[in-house]
């Protein structure tokens, strides 16, 4: 089944199976009711009842179309962005046939987040069979107090929505053959983290680098996305047990998000330098798997004593950010990963955790997430004290913490920062801004496949 999303009004030639109107009750009555003049009175009466009785939702059929009005709560704290995009994702999606969705919003500033919330509710990947598994079209229209939405904004929303759905498709799709870029060259060139994590798999690990470098860049900034791409995570010899391995095809969500964000930014006409580094590997069990007690040398030159092969994401990310800083001369690095289970405890299942060496860059990423409905929240930044969790007697660091009750999610991010060479001192020290996004346990909308779509664009 193919579900196509169009950010425009439903054409006159199409009779949708459902017309879904989402917004504050009174706002819906004030701004949407004129569109009902041509219909029979039953739909207008349903709208009046929806408002007068303060109902959460109400449905009424007119001909072959079901009209459904859904109240969108205006209750939101300062961390919830411009609109409750999570609620929009919850009420749209599913169903059968063509659908017309009208989002009635208080302000035009809320249009991007609201529109992208719809995209999250319609994943692209499905292997379900049956006669109801047919192609369908979703038409999304916006009504605001500010009037119509410009075609330029709608075009950008459409491009970003494609990238979000592509990200979800990459995560939902079962493990596929990895394109080999370097193979054993990773080992020979010093990528000790990425090589050792993936060397036991049938398909060797790969470092994929994409660059967008306009001839006349609009600024001197060099942004680089770095994504953890563990295409399947068994845990390695520290194997996942008791059902914890199920769903580990999603452990490449960081790379999926970075790739999709990169594509979206380029298609939307970003005029500066932009790169995307994908750290791809399968953390497999086999005769050649890395072992606890092994000592690795990362691309940064740091040595690591492995005490947990299931703490592999930070190893591949450290190689990725070191490459971004050294080889791509990044001024800004954003690494993204499904890194820790502790993220769920730290910032919950709707907010990714963000760790940054810069309060201004941290704020920029958070604001970007609020604009498009991908929420994140800052966590403790304290490398001076937390790096002690990785003390080793035989190497520079160990790869897993000593105390799991001591800010685990922050510790994992600091490992990437420090072992990626971003906190060196001296003349050759990297002086850029860095943000680490842990989206380990962020959940999709209710009833939607377990896709991970966090891809904030701070550009």
């Amino acid at each position: 089944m193919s579900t196509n999303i169009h950010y425009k009004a439903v054409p006159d030639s199409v009779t949708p199976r459902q017309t879904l109107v989402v917004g504050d009750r009174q706002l819906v009555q004030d701004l949407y009711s004129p569109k009902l003049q041509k219909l029979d009175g039953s739909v207008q009466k349903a709208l009046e009842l929806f408002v007068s009785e303060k109902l959460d939702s109400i449905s009424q059929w007119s001909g072959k179309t079901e009209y459904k009005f859904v109240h969108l709560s205006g209750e939101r704290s300062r961390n919830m962005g411009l609109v409750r995009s999570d609620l929009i994702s919850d009420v749209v999606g599913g169903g059968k046939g063509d659908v017309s969705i009208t989002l009635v919003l208080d302000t035009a500033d809320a249009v991007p987040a609201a529109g992208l919330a719809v995209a999250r509710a319609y994943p692209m990947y499905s292997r379900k069979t049956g006669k109801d598994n047919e192609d369908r079209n979703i038409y999304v229209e916006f009504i605001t107090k500010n009037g119509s939405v410009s075609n330029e904004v709608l075009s950008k929303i459409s491009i970003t929505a494609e990238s979000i759905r592509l990200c979800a498709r990459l995560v939902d799709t079962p493990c596929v053959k990895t394109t080999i870029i370097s193979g054993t060259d990773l080992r020979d060139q010093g990528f000790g983290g990425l090589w050792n994590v993936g060397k036991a798999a049938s398909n060797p690990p790969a470092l994929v680098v994409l660059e967008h470098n306009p001839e006349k860049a609009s600024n001197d900034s060099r942004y680089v996305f770095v994504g953890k791409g563990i295409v399947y995570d068994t845990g390695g010899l520290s194997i996942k047990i008791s059902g914890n391995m199920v769903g580990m095809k999603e452990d490449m969500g960081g790379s999926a998000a970075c790739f999709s964000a990169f594509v979206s930014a380029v298609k939307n006409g970003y005029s500066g330098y932009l790169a995307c580094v994908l750290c791809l590997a399968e953390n497999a069990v086999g005769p050649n798997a890395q072992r606890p007690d092994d000592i690795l040398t990362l691309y940064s030159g740091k040595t690591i004593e492995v005490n947990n092969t299931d703490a592999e994401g930070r190893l591949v990310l450290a190689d990725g950010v070191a490459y971004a800083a050294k080889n791509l001369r990044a001024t800004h690095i954003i690494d993204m990963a499904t890194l820790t289970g502790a993220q769920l405890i730290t910032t919950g299942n709707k907010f990714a955790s963000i760790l940054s060496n810069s309060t201004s860059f941290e704020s920029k990423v958070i604001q970007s997430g609020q604009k498009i409905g991908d929420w994140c929240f800052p966590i403790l930044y304290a490398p001076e004290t937390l790096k002690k969790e990785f003390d080793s007697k035989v190497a520079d660091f160990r790869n897993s913490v000593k105390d799991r009750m001591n800010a685990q999610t922050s510790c994992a991010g600091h490992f990437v920062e420090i072992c990626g060479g971003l906190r060196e001192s001296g003349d050759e020290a990297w002086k850029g801004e860095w943000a680490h996004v842990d989206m380990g346990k962020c959940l999709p909308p209710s009833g939607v496949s377990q896709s991970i779509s966090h891809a904030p664009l701070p550009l």
Side-chain angles (χ1 to χ4, degrees):
M1 178 184 71
S2 174
T3 300
N4 304 302
I5 301 179
H6 313 275
Y7 288 92
K8 63 180 183 180
V10 60
D12 293 336
S13 59
V14 175
T15 301
R17 183 182 179 90
Q18 183 186 62
T19 292
L20 180 62
V21 184
V22 182
D24 175 80
R25 298 183 196 92
Q26 192 59 54
L27 206 58
V28 169
Q29 185 177 53
D30 294 343
L31 300 181
Y32 186 80
S33 56
K35 298 173 84 60
L36 302 177
Q37 300 302 321
K38 296 181 181 180
L39 299 175
D40 63 71
S42 63
V43 179
Q44 295 182 30
K45 289 180 180 179
L47 176 56
E48 292 171 2
L49 188 62
F50 172 65
V51 176
S52 63
E53 298 298 320
K54 297 183 178 180
L55 301 177
D56 290 333
S57 65
I58 191 171
S59 297
Q60 178 63 48
W61 284 85
S62 177
K64 296 182 179 180
T65 302
E66 176 196 16
Y67 284 79
K68 185 174 182 179
F69 300 98
V70 179
H71 174 63
L72 180 62
S73 173
E75 181 182 3
R76 55 186 176 85
S77 66
R78 63 185 177 88
N79 295 311
M80 303 299 285
L82 300 173
V83 67
R84 288 295 302 274
S85 52
D86 60 322
L87 298 182
I88 295 175
S89 294
D90 284 345
V91 300
V92 303
K96 303 173 184 178
D98 294 342
V99 178
S100 171
I101 299 174
T102 300
L103 301 174
V104 184
L105 306 170
D106 186 61
T107 172
D109 291 339
V111 165
L116 297 177
V118 175
R120 294 185 183 90
Y122 293 97
M124 298 173 70
Y125 178 80
S126 175
R127 292 297 300 275
K128 291 185 177 182
T129 60
K131 62 181 181 180
D132 294 329
N133 206 29
E134 59 189 17
D135 290 350
R136 60 198 301 226
N137 294 289
I138 312 298
Y139 298 93
V140 185
E141 184 179 11
F142 303 94
I143 299 178
T144 76
K145 287 182 178 180
N146 307 96
S148 60
V149 181
S150 70
N151 289 332
E152 180 183 3
V153 171
L154 292 176
S155 175
K156 289 186 176 182
I157 292 173
S158 182
I159 290 171
T160 307
E162 288 179 11
S163 294
I164 285 174
R165 298 181 73 215
L166 172 61
C167 175
R169 179 177 181 175
L170 291 172
V171 173
D172 286 339
T173 304
C175 180
V176 296
K177 183 178 180 180
T178 303
T179 300
I180 300 173
I181 302 298
S182 298
T184 54
D185 285 346
L186 287 172
R187 175 196 62 198
D188 298 341
Q189 293 179 29
F191 293 92
L194 184 54
W195 166 251
N196 282 283
V197 167
K199 65 182 181 180
S202 298
N203 297 304
L207 187 79
V208 177
V209 181
L210 308 172
E211 292 186 79
H212 170 66
N213 193 10
E215 289 186 10
K216 295 182 180 180
S218 59
N219 55 67
D220 295 329
S221 297
R222 297 175 66 85
Y223 283 89
V224 180
F225 297 138
V226 181
K228 170 189 170 184
I230 303 300
V231 296
Y232 201 85
D233 184 15
T234 67
L237 293 182
S238 304
I239 197 164
K240 296 178 184 293
I241 58 173
S242 302
N244 291 329
M245 201 184 298
V246 175
M248 284 298 105
K249 66 178 183 178
E250 299 169 7
D251 212 21
M252 41 68 73
S255 275
C258 287
F259 173 73
S260 301
F262 176 85
V263 170
S264 179
V266 172
K267 284 188 173 182
N268 272 313
Y270 178 63
S271 57
Y273 175 88
L274 179 65
C276 179
V277 178
L278 309 177
C279 308
L280 307 178
E282 179 181 354
N283 189 18
V285 176
N288 296 323
Q290 68 171 339
R291 298 169 172 82
D293 296 332
D294 281 354
I295 296 179
L296 320 176
T297 301
L298 302 183
Y299 192 67
S300 65
K302 295 287 190 292
T303 56
I304 307 298
E305 176 191 3
V306 177
N307 63 324
N308 182 0
T309 64
D310 196 22
E312 84 296 332
R314 62 200 66 181
L315 297 174
V316 305
L317 279 178
D319 274 354
V321 299
Y323 182 89
K326 284 184 182 181
N327 297 65
L328 302 181
R329 297 179 289 112
T331 59
H332 299 78
I333 297 174
I334 301 177
D335 73 72
M336 300 186 70
T338 52
L339 200 62
T340 66
Q343 178 275 320
L344 177 64
I345 300 170
T346 307
T347 53
N349 63 14
K350 292 185 182 294
F351 287 78
S353 299
I354 178 171
L355 181 76
S356 179
N357 65 350
S358 163
T359 54
S360 61
F361 194 43
E362 174 187 276
S363 177
K364 199 173 186 180
V365 176
I366 291 172
Q367 290 172 12
S368 298
Q370 289 194 350
K371 287 180 181 178
I372 65 172
D374 274 335
W375 303 327
C376 47
F377 194 80
I379 59 176
L380 174 66
Y381 183 86
E384 298 84 358
T385 60
L386 295 180
K387 69 179 182 180
K388 296 176 183 178
E389 288 294 328
F390 300 104
D391 284 351
S392 168
K393 294 181 180 180
V394 293
D396 294 331
F397 301 96
R398 301 172 78 179
N399 75 314
S400 190
V401 295
K402 291 185 291 185
D403 183 0
R404 289 181 173 271
M405 301 301 290
N406 186 20
Q408 258 199 91
T409 302
S410 291
C411 287
H414 283 313
F415 181 95
V416 175
E417 178 190 24
I418 296 169
C419 297
L422 303 187
R423 282 190 59 81
E424 296 299 301
S425 58
D427 294 337
E428 297 183 1
W430 186 72
K431 298 178 176 62
E433 294 182 308
W434 163 80
H436 163 76
V437 180
D438 188 343
M439 54 194 199
K441 292 295 180 180
C442 293
L443 300 180
S446 301
V448 177
S449 57
Q450 293 295 310
S451 315
I452 301 159
S453 62
H454 277 273
L457 297 174
L459 306 179

